[in-house]
Amino acid sequence: MLSLRPLLPVLLAVALLGPAEASAAAQADGIETARTGRQIAPGIRLESYDRLEADRWLRIDELLVDLGGGAGVRAEYLGGHGPATVAEAAARHTAGPGRRVVAAVNGDFFDIRGTGAPLGPGLAAGRLLHSATPGPGAAPAVGFGADGLGRVLRIALDGSVTLPGGAVRPLAGYNAARPPAEGLAAYTADWPAAELPAVGTAVTVRDGRVTAAAPPVRGPARRERPAPGTTVLAAAGAAAAAELAALRQGDPVAVAARALPDAGPVPAAAVGGREALVVAGVPQDHDGEPNNTAAPRTAVAFSRDGRRLRILTVDGRQRDSGGLTLTALGRLMHRLGAYEALNLDGGGSSTLLAGLSGATALALENSPSDGRLRPVSNGLVLTAPAGSGRTAGYRVEPVGGTTQDLTRVFPRLTRTLTATGYDALLGPAPGPPVWSAEGAGTVDSAGVFHAVHPGRATAHARRTTAHGALPLEVLGPLTRIRPTRARIGLAEQGESAGFRLTGYDAQGAAAVVEPRDVALEFDRSRWRVTDDGRGGFTVTALVPQATGRLVATVRKGGAAGAAGAPGADSGLIAELALGVGLVTLPVTDLADVAQWTGPGASAAGGHSGAGVALDLPGAAAQGSAAPPRALPVPELARSLTLWVGGDGSGARPAVELADADGAAVTVRGPAVDWTGWRELTLPLPATAEPPLSVTRLSAVGGTGPGRLTLDTLGARTPPTGPAAAPVVRDPIVATGAGVRARPWRFAVGGGDAAADFVLTGADRAQFVHRGVRFLPLDTTRPTLGGGGLDRMRALHEALAAAAGDPATGALAVVRADAPDAVDRKETALTAHLLAEFRRTTGKRAAVLTLGAPAFGAGRSEGVLSVAAPRTGRTLVGVDAFAAGDWLAVRHDAGDTR
């Protein structure tokens, strides 16, 4: 997923965009590239922003919370009934009379491979829910007092067990995730998981009396969570077990447990964490320590007086956001103004939810690295006063989201809007509005905006004094349409997938075309296609095996309706290829195995022909074989198939791939505990960005030496048939005479008597020529190797210079074709910045790519692009101040004069 936050992107000038402390953070080594923000409730604001560092992109979401003001915000313990997603736990959290849940975040590390219980301490309503594991010692946590103020502290267990006769024994654990190695542990109805950990000798206590004596122990056993009012007292070690075994039903036993903070009062609410990130205003160095790797992160920080709470998540393990080390996270929190900060559980657990004005459910703000919400043990939830429920305003949005392509519409087409009422505290306030519009369109009583002519428009929702508005842009007339997916492949009957139709005007400005404006033609006996309610379509397979196509027509004359007659009014047409059912397509049969190379690799007999053997001389030894060139994987592939000749050694085979951005993706097979041939199916991760290519076959040894033979790699793929590829010729592609009619010219790839100069590369300094500022960018360094950071800084400076120079009418970015160095997000950000430059200054912009594989010319959001190939000559005519297109391009293949 490419993330360019929809508000104004900023490079080295972030003070224009957010709070002062956010500006300080963005002035560090990296640069902030985009930011959005919204008020969640009085006293709570969400800030979301993207950053480009020297070696990674980052996506960060943070809640800024005023704990000391009059807004009445509280932070409370979330969960405690077994692993659940943050969304599930927040939905069932009881906020109390007159209060509502407004935000939530995941909390403590937990026993992920065992009970699922949190590993640190937890308190709710001033009561200890569970102590830390291991033992009763102090463990780090974030706590919130009865006054609402917060702090980082350490919480220990102060507990005891009084046995018959008055003997008092220390309590070694209270609802702790793992039983202590020695001593007594207590489990109550507050146990934060479904089942207790496996315990040996145990008795049940209720109302201070043993109700069930210890049965004979045959081994540790799991038990269900105790009933309310009941305590299970368990023993570890011979001495403690003997004391419990001596108890009889009716014996008096008293269990006491309370939280013991290292300083100050017992907090009303607390959630455990692990590593200190900032201590007394000093960021902590975790270099050389465990867990100090780049990963998704969740952290909580406080101001010195505890009145300012900051809850932050950093996405990671994604090409779009590489995550942070603990050391880097501490530095970030310090730059943001933290006096104390604590690391909470990260990785796939990192989850941040926040409310929208008037909404009853929370929205997911970050991008969990698992691709879905992970069940976690607990979290923190923010609650706020519920408000009056009387409508004070409306949140007006297009159906499907607030992205730029949904706040735009084409003349004579439509955009469906929603209006969500909210009260003075931003809580829900139901009630339909009265719709109106001004500018370039109208809106009907159902909230459907009808575009009339190009220009700006504003849709209004009103009810008495309550009001909400949404600015809309009506683009130029629709000139072409394209589906967001050229092919839809479904694995089985009943499976569904979605797509949207994107339209473009003559300047390449894009907007979603809604289903109501589209007529569809497809085989209704094989497929069901419906409006997904979010501006797009859902395709569902009705049969187990089929191929086909879908034709979508947008009428130039206006709305067609999804069931309208296709092709009417000579409308614009787009096609999708459809398929359902899986077939195995070949990736390689290893017939060229003699050209495969790698440690431990050798040619061998395969399952049905040639194969490659990987020799693994010892435990954990590695072997691999790389093909002479990367092997493409079908784009819609769901899984790979691989024949493995096993020797029972426990070695694990793997297929290593590269995704569309060159990022490594590895799919691993099971430990080979069989002998002979077996075909494996290896699912491809849903988060991998296609197209994928195979770079190596590999294996890791098991408990001893081993030898695996691999053969016949295939891909299980839905068969869709070829996708339609419409050819679009941009008007800037001109004849030689048209190019020479411009006031001046430059050439790429060869000289020309009529050219002012020849562009031979991107290795020269920035220069200005006859109204055009040329910015050559060095693309030899990868985006995530410092190159992107340098290029974005150079672009920012050039944009500022061009904007402030009346004699400059256009900016042309010049770069060599380098798809392995310049990633897609940098490309998208460059295009976005140039489009904003064009929109805000009225000046022109273009991207010139030298040494491209083939000639091409086009435009997006009014920014022109020219791809000049390595061979032939490209001549460009220029008029930086022309009323229409300012470039005219002609490419002559093979002519290098």
Side-chain angles (χ1 to χ4, degrees), residues 784-847:
L784 303 185
L789 197 59
D790 292 341
R791 289 188 288 269
M792 287 299 103
R793 284 175 171 151
L795 178 57
H796 169 76
E797 293 169 1
L799 289 170
D805 181 8
T808 297
L811 173 68
V813 173
V814 183
R815 62 187 187 187
D817 182 61
D820 294 334
V822 180
D823 71 19
R824 292 177 305 135
K825 192 168 181 179
E826 182 188 338
T827 299
L829 178 58
T830 300
H832 187 73
L833 290 172
L834 292 174
E836 285 293 305
F837 166 79
R838 179 181 178 274
R839 184 183 66 81
T840 56
T841 67
K843 299 186 178 187
R844 315 303 180 83
V847 176

Side-chain angles (χ1 to χ4, degrees), residues 196-565:
L196 302 186
V199 296
T201 303
V203 300
T204 303
V205 177
R206 186 177 183 88
D207 298 327
R209 298 282 177 178
V210 175
T211 59
V217 176
R218 293 188 176 90
R222 291 188 178 274
R223 298 165 178 255
E224 294 181 356
R225 179 191 292 112
T230 299
T231 299
V232 171
L233 194 60
E243 288 190 306
L244 287 197
L247 295 177
R248 297 293 178 263
Q249 186 170 345
D251 283 350
V253 173
V255 179
R258 68 184 184 94
L260 184 63
D262 56 352
V266 174
V271 167
R274 187 178 289 174
E275 296 90 354
L277 301 172
V278 181
V279 177
V282 179
Q284 301 299 290
D285 186 351
H286 292 274
D287 288 352
E289 298 177 8
N291 198 29
N292 192 36
T293 58
R297 298 292 182 185
T298 300
V300 174
F302 299 100
S303 59
R304 186 166 190 167
D305 60 6
R307 294 178 175 272
R308 185 76 164 170
L309 164 67
R310 187 181 300 272
I311 300 174
L312 179 143
T313 58
V314 182
D315 291 340
R317 296 174 186 161
Q318 303 167 56
R319 188 70 172 180
D320 205 24
S321 187
L324 287 175
T325 65
L326 292 174
T327 301
L329 180 61
R331 291 171 182 164
L332 172 64
M333 301 301 279
H334 177 255
R335 292 196 301 267
L336 291 170
Y339 185 74
E340 302 279 351
L342 185 68
N343 181 52
L344 302 185
D345 190 15
S349 300
S350 285
T351 308
L352 190 146
L353 306 175
L356 295 159
S357 301
T360 56
L362 304 183
L364 176 64
E365 299 298 335
N366 74 317
S367 178
S369 62
D370 289 352
R372 61 187 183 279
L373 295 185
R374 173 189 288 180
V376 296
S377 65
N378 63 9
L380 282 172
V381 62
L382 300 180
T383 67
S388 65
R390 294 189 294 273
T391 307
Y394 283 98
R395 173 169 49 87
V396 182
E397 296 177 321
V399 167
T402 56
T403 55
Q404 185 182 59
D405 57 357
L406 283 165
T407 57
R408 292 169 160 183
V409 63
F410 295 100
R412 305 186 72 177
L413 299 186
T414 60
R415 181 68 67 230
T416 304
L417 308 178
T418 62
T420 305
Y422 57 85
D423 61 22
L425 299 184
L426 305 183
V434 175
W435 289 95
S436 63
E438 58 188 11
T442 64
V443 62
D444 62 25
S445 60
V448 178
F449 177 79
H450 300 260
V452 176
H453 57 78
R456 300 284 176 174
T458 303
H460 298 274
R462 290 186 172 89
R463 185 183 184 191
T464 61
T465 59
H467 172 250
L470 178 69
L472 296 163
E473 181 183 5
V474 180
L475 300 175
L478 181 65
T479 61
R480 61 187 175 94
I481 58 173
R482 182 174 64 87
T484 52
R485 304 170 67 169
R487 298 186 296 160
I488 290 181
L490 306 172
E492 59 188 4
Q493 181 178 351
E495 186 175 307
S496 299
F499 73 94
R500 283 178 173 176
L501 280 178
T502 302
Y504 300 87
D505 69 7
Q507 289 300 317
V512 170
V513 178
E514 287 199 3
R516 66 159 40 86
D517 296 324
V518 179
L520 301 178
E521 181 182 13
F522 58 94
D523 186 339
R524 285 169 169 76
S525 69
R526 296 182 172 187
W527 319 96
R528 180 172 62 248
V529 184
T530 56
D531 183 339
D532 67 5
R534 300 184 300 275
F537 300 87
T538 298
V539 178
T540 304
L542 301 181
V543 294
Q545 196 87 28
T547 59
R549 69 171 191 160
L550 181 150
V551 179
T553 304
V554 179
R555 291 176 173 174
K556 292 183 178 179

Side-chain angles (χ1 to χ4, degrees), residues 12-176:
L12 303 179
V14 295
L16 299 176
L17 279 179
E21 64 267 32
S23 176
Q27 300 292 348
D29 294 339
I31 52 179
E32 186 175 302
T33 59
R35 177 179 287 265
T36 62
R38 71 173 188 266
Q39 200 72 24
I40 303 303
I44 309 176
R45 182 170 179 79
L46 173 71
E47 292 287 330
S48 302
Y49 48 96
D50 294 0
R51 288 180 58 83
L52 173 59
E53 307 291 340
D55 61 347
R56 73 197 66 200
W57 294 94
L58 291 175
R59 279 199 312 266
I60 300 172
D61 297 277
E62 56 176 329
L63 291 166
L64 308 176
V65 186
D66 181 7
L67 296 174
V73 179
R74 295 180 194 161
E76 302 172 7
Y77 184 98
L78 177 66
H81 300 286
T85 67
V86 176
E88 292 166 343
R92 65 191 183 207
H93 182 78
T94 302
R99 301 188 65 79
R100 64 190 181 97
V101 170
V102 294
V105 69
N106 68 289
D108 200 358
F109 293 80
F110 59 99
D111 186 16
I112 193 169
R113 293 179 179 84
T115 61
L119 297 176
L123 287 87
R127 184 167 55 85
L128 179 66
L129 300 179
H130 50 85
S131 66
T133 294
V142 290
F144 302 87
D147 57 1
L149 303 187
R151 71 190 197 270
V152 175
L153 72 163
R154 297 184 70 86
I155 299 175
L157 168 63
D158 181 15
S160 63
V161 178
T162 304
L163 298 171
V168 179
R169 301 288 182 259
L171 194 61
Y174 184 76
N175 286 329

Side-chain angles (χ1 to χ4, degrees), residues 553-714:
T553 304
V554 179
R555 291 176 173 174
K556 292 183 178 179
D569 291 345
S570 63
L572 298 170
I573 292 177
E575 294 187 14
L576 289 83
L578 305 178
V580 60
L582 296 176
V583 297
T584 301
L585 300 179
V587 175
T588 178
D589 60 3
L590 286 158
D592 59 350
V593 66
Q595 301 177 53
W596 288 58
T597 58
S602 60
H607 175 256
S608 58
V612 60
L614 299 179
D615 287 301
L616 308 166
Q622 297 185 5
S624 65
R629 65 194 62 82
L631 305 171
V633 175
E635 189 166 349
L636 300 181
R638 299 298 186 88
S639 59
L640 300 176
T641 60
L642 178 67
W643 280 95
V644 177
D647 62 352
S649 66
R652 294 189 65 186
V655 180
E656 300 179 30
L657 310 101
D659 72 2
D661 291 314
V665 177
T666 301
V667 291
R668 302 187 187 279
V672 177
D673 57 1
W674 66 88
T675 58
W677 287 98
R678 183 177 296 183
E679 186 178 34
L680 302 182
T681 298
L682 309 175
L684 290 167
T687 53
E689 188 67 39
L692 303 175
S693 57
V694 176
T695 57
R696 289 198 308 177
L697 300 179
S698 62
V700 177
T703 57
R707 176 184 172 92
L708 298 185
T709 306
L710 311 178
D711 184 20
T712 312
L713 182 67

